Amino acid sequence: MAKSLPPLTWFRAFEAAARHLSFTAAANEIGMTQSAVSQQVKSLEMRLGVALFKRHARGVSLTDDGRKLLPKVGAALET
């Protein structure tokens, strides 16, 4: 049986957080709480089996996998 795609909201949360390098700024942009953005990104990471962000005390940065995924997700969300 084929695996279904992750929910679109997970990709939107990832894309906004990756552009802003902030879960809080992403949450403000897409109308969610910071906790919801963080949870959706974590769910996407678990589904894909890779870390997309490095979490720091004062923010986040993209991993190599996150940097590779961002342009693909951004392009898909634009269409």
Side-chain angles (χ1 to χ4, degrees):
M1 182 173 180
K3 227 181 189 182
S4 64
L5 289 174
L8 182 59
T9 56
W10 293 4
F11 289 109
R12 286 189 179 159
F14 162 73
E15 191 272 340
R19 274 190 294 107
H20 293 288
L21 292 179
S22 166
F23 291 166
T24 302
N28 290 334
E29 179 182 312
I30 60 179
M32 295 181 162
T33 64
Q34 179 275 335
S35 178
V37 169
S38 178
Q39 188 66 25
Q40 291 193 359
V41 168
K42 189 65 174 168
S43 294
L44 181 60
E45 289 175 321
M46 289 178 66
R47 173 72 77 88
L48 297 177
V50 296
L52 300 171
F53 290 95
K54 294 177 191 169
R55 283 124 172 112
H56 310 285
R58 294 258 180 217
V60 295
S61 61
L62 285 168
T63 63
D64 287 340
D65 289 317
R67 279 190 290 281
K68 289 176 190 171
L69 183 61
L70 179 58
K72 295 173 186 172
V73 171
L77 291 175
E78 285 181 17
T79 58

